[in-house]
Amino acid sequence: MSGRRLNSFRGGDRSEYLAQYGLSRFSFVQPFLRQEDFGVVDFVCTLMVDRAESDGHNYSYPENAFYVQVKSNTNPITYDEPATRWISNHMQLPLFFCIVNKKESGGGEISLYSSSIIWEALTLRPNASSITVLFDHAPSVNLLDGDKADGRIDVQVGEAILKKNLDDLEGDPDASYSAIKPWIQNDMENIVNRNLGRLLTKRFKKWGSNVAVQGEADSTYYRGPNYHPVETYIFPHLAALAYNYKCDSQWEKLNALKSFLEKMDISEEGKKELFSELASTGPTAGPTGPTGPIGPTKPAGGPTGATGPTGATGATGWTDRALTMVKPSAR
């Protein structure tokens, strides 16, 4: 037992205290115990919104969860290979970097940065050996070590999405909520896309500190061999969509979707199950198409009149019952 603590460590402790207090104005904050700290996450937070209810009281409601790592300055952060692999393959919540300035007037200042651009980097190089995060520069991804699949990555995360002293945070928590909410939602999509094979990332390209981003995030599509998990995931959703088309008599959409489902690279067992269920929901014959016009009568000694065109076949009807199917396994 040393009976002392390094000043630099104690400064980091105090930064975490200040960050926890600032973040608590717009989120519920749970610090990681030091015994459970693995070097990437300091807090697990749950975004909070305040609402006045009819009983005359104000309540704080929890919404989306996210991770926060706290730092005392904007020096680059480098994640080694184990940390990078955890972020790349296992992190299931959006990660934000909270930079604390304890000397700022107004009780100290926190600056919150999104890690959203990391998903672009880890889609291009999912087996990277390290990531270095740099602050306050234009967003960019720099793949180091040439084309090495396990090379290093430098990521510029751009300017802070939230930069406020404690007085400002206390006075207007709704503004902080509005600034961070879209970034959480966007990165939840990025995490889902990572889980499905890394074919798509989404990122806001323009933003300012302390204001809600405007418009939709830009999408980037990637060519890769891992589209089978996407097909496996969306197959039951498309099957449910086909059922809804049927219920609403959207026959043209239903037939187009069925044609697409037949061509998807899903196990034949899964397809058979789906179309068996669809077939069992009907069909009763749809209305008979109109009768084609009758050809002209054959004059005496003349050629036989042309046969009129066949009337269009009526749409297939369906009985109304729920469609239940097991999620098919990919090949």
Side-chain angles (χ1 to χ4, degrees):
M1 308 299 272
S2 68
R4 59 185 180 178
R5 185 162 176 77
L6 283 171
N7 284 344
S8 58
F9 288 176
R10 187 56 183 162
D13 297 339
R14 295 176 59 240
S15 291
E16 290 187 15
Y17 281 133
L18 194 150
Q20 182 176 356
Y21 181 77
L23 292 167
S24 70
R25 190 63 184 96
F26 58 88
S27 65
F28 298 98
V29 184
Q30 177 60 55
F32 263 61
L33 294 173
R34 292 198 184 279
Q35 300 94 318
E36 308 300 327
D37 189 350
F38 54 92
V40 179
V41 178
D42 293 311
F43 301 144
V44 180
C45 300
T46 304
L47 191 65
M48 178 178 74
V49 62
D50 294 338
R51 286 200 295 266
E53 300 293 1
S54 57
D55 61 4
H57 295 289
N58 292 331
Y59 294 89
S60 297
Y61 289 92
E63 293 189 349
N64 312 82
F66 57 99
Y67 291 136
V68 173
Q69 182 170 42
V70 180
K71 307 299 288 186
S72 298
N73 53 58
T74 55
N75 292 340
I77 302 171
T78 297
Y79 296 108
D80 62 10
E81 185 170 0
T84 299
R85 294 294 172 86
W86 180 78
I87 294 170
S88 181
N89 299 320
H90 303 292
M91 190 171 73
Q92 297 293 336
L93 293 176
L95 174 65
F96 294 85
F97 307 106
C98 182
I99 309 299
V100 174
N101 183 348
K102 297 186 287 292
K103 297 180 180 179
E104 181 67 26
S105 61
E109 179 184 74
I110 65 170
S111 299
L112 208 62
Y113 296 80
S114 169
S115 69
S116 187
I117 196 172
I118 281 180
W119 297 114
E120 289 185 19
L122 292 174
T123 298
L124 293 168
R125 186 170 277 172
N127 296 318
S129 59
S130 71
I131 300 177
T132 297
V133 178
L134 301 101
F135 299 94
D136 295 323
H137 297 276
S140 66
V141 173
N142 185 16
L143 301 179
L144 307 177
D145 305 322
D147 294 329
K148 287 183 61 177
D150 60 349
R152 298 165 296 144
I153 306 174
D154 280 357
V155 175
Q156 306 273 7
V157 296
E159 68 175 308
I161 64 174
L162 185 71
K163 191 181 182 89
K164 289 193 173 190
N165 62 40
L166 295 189
D167 289 346
D168 292 337
L169 285 168
E170 191 65 31
D172 190 6
D174 291 342
S176 302
Y177 169 92
S178 298
I180 189 175
K181 175 80 171 183
W183 294 87
I184 297 174
Q185 293 174 316
N186 184 71
D187 267 5
M188 288 304 300
E189 291 190 47
N190 281 325
I191 290 167
V192 169
N193 292 331
R194 183 274 313 272
N195 294 342
L196 291 180
R198 305 180 197 263
L199 300 183
L200 165 68
T201 60
K202 299 182 70 174
R203 178 166 66 88
F204 297 111
K205 299 295 179 69
K206 295 181 180 179
W207 71 89
S209 298
N210 305 327
V211 294
V213 292
Q214 301 299 316
E216 296 292 325
D218 290 348
S219 296
T220 302
Y221 304 100
Y222 303 85
R223 179 179 178 273
N226 301 318
Y227 56 83
H228 298 295
V230 180
E231 290 188 332
T232 302
Y233 179 81
I234 68 173
F235 189 81
H237 295 272
L238 293 177
L241 186 60
Y243 174 70
N244 279 269
Y245 286 158
K246 178 215 59 172
C247 291
D248 289 340
S249 300
Q250 299 282 337
W251 309 119
E252 185 175 351
K253 290 182 178 180
L254 175 61
N255 290 331
L257 184 54
K258 286 174 65 179
S259 178
F260 175 70
L261 288 168
E262 288 173 348
K263 295 175 174 63
M264 290 184 69
D265 193 11
I266 298 295
S267 67
E268 291 303 318
E269 181 182 354
K271 289 181 184 178
K272 182 178 180 180
E273 181 182 2
L274 168 63
F275 289 106
S276 173
E277 288 288 345
L278 287 174
S280 69
T281 59
T284 57
T288 303
T291 303
I294 300 173
T297 303
K298 180 180 77 170
T304 303
T307 303
T310 303
T313 303
T316 301
W318 300 82
T319 59
D320 187 14
R321 75 176 180 83
L323 173 65
T324 303
M325 63 174 292
V326 178
K327 180 177 178 182
S329 58
R331 287 177 176 171

